[in-house]
Amino acid sequence: METAVGGGKSVPRYVQIAEEIVQQIRAGILKPGDMVPSESELVERYGVSGGTIRKAMVEVRASDLVETRQGKGSMVKARPPVRHRSSDRFKRSHRQGGKAAYLAESEQSGAKAGVSVLYIGPTDAPIDIAERLGVPAGTQVLARRRLYFRNETPVETATSYLPWDVAKDIPELFAKNPGGGGIYARLEDHGHEFAEFVETLQARLATKAEASELALSPGASVVHLIREARTTEDRVVEVCDTLMAADQFVFSYRIPASD
């Protein structure tokens, strides 16, 4: 096996090559839309076998910084930089200022935010959603499904599920644009004061359909996030099922050190 020695231990040569290519992408030497050098070019550049280069490119693709096109090679992804998703995005001050969480955090990062509403209407609550809402599986709830964009690139899908007895009295929740501050502002306008938001995250590989919807390469990573919006009356009035392109987000949470 071809290896390089560094730091007192042997590092596989293909790992070293992959790290160098990734560094070139992150540093902007290889820019979005640029083709990664071909296998033959990399063999000549590094003086290694084709097998070593193929192993290196497996590692590069795992970084999710390139996309491979059949017969054309690997291209650096033309995707926007990552942005932080922090617990601060649910501050009441954002809602009172007329900004929903997604718009607030996108503006903070200097990005152009966009949203496409895919569906609004009644649906039967899936088992896991029903459990979180405290209703029987199959109970009718309101679903709001959206596709979010950042600088015209799709970065996440989100479906909000709301108990029907809560949603039916808030006509704005059935509109594509629920108004300034989003659906959380409308819920609070109607007396549902929030106490906390509880999120559960899981990283996994995207399915073929998910990769297509988010314009990801096959086998790309996503983050599946489930959020419960809980009121001061200890009722969950919304569950949001969100899928995010993993290379587009850094998560940052503020955790109190006291009780």
Side-chain angles (χ1 to χ4, degrees), residues 128-133 159-163 184 226-229 236-241:
D128 59 332
I129 300 297
E131 289 178 352
R132 293 173 182 273
L133 289 174
T159 303
S160 290
Y161 298 91
L162 301 100
Y184 290 159
I226 301 288
R227 180 174 63 253
E228 298 176 6
V236 175
V237 293
E238 184 240 16
V239 174
C240 190
D241 189 336

Side-chain angles (χ1 to χ4, degrees), residues 6-21:
K9 62 180 180 180
S10 181
V11 179
R13 182 62 170 145
Y14 73 88
V15 172
Q16 186 184 52
I17 293 170
E19 289 178 348
E20 184 172 323
I21 294 172

